[in-house]
Amino acid sequence: MAASGVSSSSTEEEENLPESALCTMASPLKSLFHDDSRYQKAFQLFLERSTEHQCMQDFIHSKLPDVLASVGDGKSRLNVIGVGSGAGKIDLEMLSELHQKHPGVAVDYEVVEPSSQQLHKYKVSVSQTPALDYIKFTWNEMTASGFEEHCKREKITKKADFIHMIEMLYYEGDPGATVSFFQSLLEKKGKLLIILASEESGWGRLWRTYKDQLCDSEISQCVTTGEIKSYLDSRGVRYQWYELPSEMEITECFTEGDEKGELLLDFLTEVQNFSKAASPELRAGVLKLLRHPDCSVESEGKVIFNNNLGVIVLDQLT
């Protein structure tokens, strides 16, 4: 996960936060994005503590088949691009649904993923998954913007029938431009699927309040589906929209020195060793906000963070 381009102006509830917590820090914090080893540990813990993959799987098996029904338009071979595919768990479930909708159709699959660790896990999963002979995988260890540069440099003009961008626009310098580029790659009946933190989630509230302190200026980090929808609306681009309920337990974040709690805090703030690196005022303000009803609910001694996701589906630009 990462972060939003929403204004950080005060709301009524924010007025109850320490004033010093809303001020820009004197010294910049280091983004967790630049420490891949710690990021992967934090991300794995996030997956264990959240219903992130479960809510995506529910969408993939209930709604995605209808989205995929019209792609390809009877072609015998489909071109698919997975952008920010991670270890491939969700990719393979989407490919399974695509195969069920279009049995007997071959797939050329471009995997775009900057993490060598995640790509290795993906390749292992592919080797252990039966009946994938209909797919030809091409592995690209690069970011979305790196893939865009590669396509332009090599003058690659191949269009795609299905492109998915799941939880990855946080790491792009210009998310709107990235969306526009990949939408430009769609075939006539193609679909572009985007999944991000919902603007109604705890992430949205956290980023609206602390964008200036927590977000790396070189990447977007703080972006929700709200910003993407605003970008599309401003250009008159039509889209389908879904909200996916999700949650994450963050109880250990409030036990100082707890190893897992510190990792979760790093993931929530996208800051390396947040508790040590942040000022006491910023740390206190973030912890207070994470417990705020706009971010979390407390039940049976547990703090449950609102991890809702949003899904945007785009067609080829006309």
Side-chain angles (χ1 to χ4, degrees):
M1 221 19 119
S4 123
V6 187
S7 166
S8 57
S9 57
S10 299
T11 64
E12 270 183 40
E13 295 88 348
E14 285 163 1
E15 289 171 1
N16 297 323
L17 295 170
E19 184 177 345
S20 56
L22 295 172
C23 298
T24 303
M25 292 188 59
S27 57
L29 300 172
K30 292 183 179 179
S31 172
L32 181 63
F33 177 68
H34 300 302
D35 183 346
D36 189 55
S37 178
R38 186 165 178 84
Y39 177 87
Q40 296 304 334
K41 286 181 185 177
F43 179 61
Q44 190 56 46
L45 183 59
F46 161 72
L47 291 180
E48 292 170 9
R49 294 302 170 86
S50 75
T51 59
E52 174 99 347
H53 276 180
Q54 181 184 324
C55 78
M56 287 185 196
Q57 288 165 334
D58 290 344
F59 171 81
I60 288 167
H61 300 307
S62 63
K63 304 291 186 185
L64 186 63
D66 292 337
V67 172
L68 296 175
S70 63
V71 306
D73 201 21
K75 289 161 52 175
S76 61
R77 180 173 291 273
L78 297 175
N79 295 320
V80 179
I81 305 174
V83 190
S85 289
K89 179 178 173 62
I90 297 299
D91 280 37
L92 293 178
E93 295 205 29
M94 287 190 287
L95 285 166
S96 176
E97 291 295 342
L98 181 67
H99 190 51
Q100 289 183 47
K101 277 293 176 185
H102 303 278
V105 174
V107 173
D108 284 335
Y109 193 78
E110 295 270 1
V111 177
V112 180
E113 168 56 49
S115 169
S116 58
Q117 287 186 49
Q118 295 290 74
L119 268 184
H120 174 71
K121 290 178 182 178
Y122 197 155
K123 291 175 183 178
V124 170
S125 291
V126 168
S127 70
Q128 295 174 347
T129 303
L132 294 181
D133 293 347
Y134 67 97
I135 307 173
K136 177 189 174 185
F137 287 92
T138 301
W139 308 99
N140 301 278
E141 188 178 324
M142 58 183 70
T143 61
S145 54
F147 183 75
E148 179 177 351
E149 291 169 9
H150 167 72
C151 289
K152 291 176 178 177
R153 184 174 60 250
E154 301 298 326
K155 296 183 170 60
I156 296 172
T157 58
K158 185 169 76 171
K159 300 291 186 177
D161 300 288
F162 178 50
I163 303 172
H164 62 80
M165 308 166 72
I166 297 178
E167 297 279 49
M168 52 67 58
L169 284 172
Y170 315 112
Y171 309 110
E172 292 299 311
D174 188 339
T178 299
V179 170
S180 292
F181 169 72
F182 281 97
Q183 188 178 20
S184 76
L185 298 184
L186 289 177
E187 285 277 20
K188 186 176 180 181
K189 295 276 189 175
K191 300 286 185 180
L192 170 59
L193 174 76
I194 300 166
I195 300 182
L196 276 178
S198 166
E199 66 266 38
E200 303 300 326
S201 69
W203 297 98
R205 175 59 192 267
L206 177 65
W207 298 334
R208 283 193 292 274
T209 307
Y210 287 108
K211 176 176 184 267
D212 290 341
Q213 295 95 315
L214 300 179
C215 295
D216 188 328
S217 60
E218 294 181 4
I219 53 178
S220 299
Q221 253 190 332
C222 300
V223 62
T224 67
T225 45
E227 286 77 66
I228 302 303
K229 288 192 290 183
S230 293
Y231 172 82
L232 297 172
D233 289 341
S234 71
R235 285 156 178 77
V237 178
R238 298 176 61 185
Y239 54 86
Q240 293 173 267
W241 158 251
Y242 306 85
E243 181 89 3
L244 309 185
S246 179
E247 60 186 31
M248 172 171 84
E249 188 194 342
I250 61 170
T251 312
E252 289 148 315
C253 290
F254 304 94
T255 302
E256 190 170 353
D258 185 279
E259 184 180 357
K260 291 182 177 178
E262 299 295 342
L263 267 179
L264 286 172
L265 264 180
D266 283 11
F267 192 76
L268 284 160
T269 61
E270 286 285 323
V271 170
Q272 294 179 36
N273 300 303
F274 173 75
S275 287
K276 294 178 181 177
S279 68
E281 294 82 7
L282 178 59
R283 183 178 185 277
V286 166
L287 286 173
K288 181 176 180 179
L289 181 59
L290 288 175
R291 267 200 137 118
H292 192 283
D294 280 357
C295 285
S296 302
V297 296
E298 297 195 39
S299 176
E300 299 178 352
K302 295 181 179 180
V303 182
I304 308 299
F305 183 75
N306 181 329
N307 186 58
N308 283 10
L309 302 176
V311 178
I312 298 171
V313 179
L314 298 171
D315 297 319
Q316 183 194 51
L317 273 174
T318 55

